[in-house]
Amino acid sequence: MIILGIETSCDETAAAVVADGSHLLSNVVASSMDLHRAYGGVVPEIAARSHLESIMPVIDQALGQAFPAAAGRTKKAAPGERQTERAWRAIDGVAVTYGAGLGGSLLVGVMTARTLALVKNKPLYAINHVEAHIYANFITRTNLPGYKLTAAAPAFPMLGLIVSGGHSQLVLWRDHFNYTLLGQTRDDAVGEAFDKVARLLGLPYPGGPSVGQAARQGDPFRFNFPEARLTTIGPGLAELRRQSPFPGRRQEAAKHGYDFSFSGPKTAVLRALQRLVGVGYEFPSQKLAERLSEAQKADVAASFQRSVIETVVSKTVAAYDEFRPRSVVIGGGVAASAELRRLLAKKLPLKVNYQDPKLMTDNGAMVATLGCFKAQANRPVADPYSLQIEPNLSM
Ligand code: KG4
Ligand code: ZN
């Protein structure tokens, strides 16, 4: 089963080819991040325009990388036939992210995938971006240089922590396509909070890596940015707790829900900066950074990172204690964070197999991988004449 995955939900135009849900044949990502940097965040109109320019070259490159001219996988080509035509013969289906994401950006990927599915006569799989982030962990083999892949695919039940620019969720999978949302952010996503704090500190976009970099020189205990205490319990978790016994469930471990909130710590950072600089609420926040020393910025970055990562890790460990899954995996851009990986490994009694950080930020490989599992399980295909985008798709 060989699937072409297409991903355009935010600022990365990405395509990849994956075989059997585990073997990465190609992975191409073109980012418009440099264009957005001047604005401190993604500008949807610029992202959509840039997808439009990059999408076909990115797909061609992904096909070319997966099936180099002499590849043995493809049938013998007729003389003069283009390399991508040979590659298309080996492709069994097209998977595309149809949500969640920016409307204009999603449209480019979905319309391209619909057209290709029709023209090349391939089944089309509609992929949920957030689910796909977790499926990046199923990739275990590649001949591509520069990847350090996880050694084994995760086992079920599997606890997944998704931490990206748009999502922060804890999800428990019993099996493929059978999962429960345990908790999610009530306001900002983790990556979004990093990006906003980076802007306050005058650090470049994307904020996760730049705050992480600044944090290395700082004191993580200089400031205390309080963790939000949430008591909300979503319907999925409530239902799961009613089902007794969920295999492995430890009732006594359940003291709380698993929802997150990150807008509190972000506002606490703003207040701390105003105090450090000695100005009031009316002072323009974009001018605070000019008045901070490098050491102050590093201390705020380190303390903020500690607060957010401790929150995420403690909820993950609590969910592990309650449900005792056989594996814990992370996905989404913030899952590339070395500090998150370090603390999670330290606090979890189970060994976490970390995936190559290149597969944590947005990419087509995760989309193709989930597409492979859908195809293998004969999940419903999407209609290439009518598949619509769903910018607010949830899990
Ligand atoms: O998954 P992703 O590429 O896009 C979304 O689906 O949102 O995640 C982007 C987010 C950004 O907020 C970025 O600041 C954060 O992931 N990020 C990181 C790292 N790389 C990207 N955060 C912490 N450490 C990193 N190395
Ligand atoms: Zn993402």
Side-chain angles (χ1 to χ4, degrees), residues 71-287:
R73 260 185 189 281
T74 52
K75 296 183 201 112
K76 234 186 159 64
E81 194 183 21
R82 286 182 56 227
Q83 180 186 332
T84 51
E85 287 306 318
R86 289 207 302 275
W88 270 109
R89 274 203 255 133
I91 297 287
D92 297 307
V94 177
V96 64
T97 301
Y98 76 112
L102 300 170
S105 291
L106 288 166
L107 260 181
V108 178
V110 166
M111 293 313 290
T112 306
R114 281 173 53 177
T115 311
L116 289 171
L118 278 172
V119 173
K120 307 293 181 188
N121 197 22
K122 306 287 175 186
L124 179 63
Y125 297 94
I127 300 294
N128 178 324
H129 180 84
V130 184
E131 284 176 45
H133 265 305
I134 288 299
Y135 273 77
N137 290 287
F138 285 86
I139 298 170
T140 51
R141 281 201 297 149
T142 191
N143 295 328
L144 301 174
Y147 284 85
K148 200 167 177 297
L149 297 178
T150 172
F156 294 102
M158 164 179 87
L159 177 65
L161 168 70
I162 300 129
V163 276
S164 74
H167 306 274
S168 306
Q169 293 172 321
L170 261 171
V171 181
L172 184 65
W173 269 264
R174 285 172 212 78
D175 200 347
H176 292 296
F177 317 113
N178 180 357
Y179 61 73
T180 300
L181 178 62
L182 300 180
Q184 61 186 329
T185 183
R186 311 301 302 185
D187 40 59
D188 291 351
V190 189
E192 191 179 356
F194 269 112
D195 294 341
K196 287 177 178 170
V197 165
R199 216 174 311 161
L200 287 175
L201 294 175
L203 301 172
Y205 175 83
S210 60
V211 169
Q213 178 84 23
R216 279 195 224 149
Q217 277 79 46
D219 173 4
F221 296 98
R222 167 84 192 279
F223 301 94
N224 254 324
F225 299 124
E227 182 181 330
R229 299 241 173 269
L230 292 177
T231 52
T232 47
I233 291 180
L237 177 58
E239 177 57 32
L240 204 57
R241 283 180 173 167
R242 268 196 298 275
Q243 285 171 16
S244 87
F246 174 85
R249 163 121 201 266
R250 300 197 332 164
Q251 226 114 350
E252 73 280 13
K255 295 186 208 75
H256 35 54
Y258 298 107
D259 283 346
F260 306 101
S261 163
F262 299 106
S263 77
K266 177 201 69 196
T267 308
V269 167
L270 176 61
R271 300 289 170 252
L273 296 181
Q274 288 163 339
R275 273 197 305 279
L276 275 177
V277 171
V279 296
Y281 295 90
E282 66 300 336
F283 188 81
S285 63
Q286 70 275 19
K287 289 199 179 321

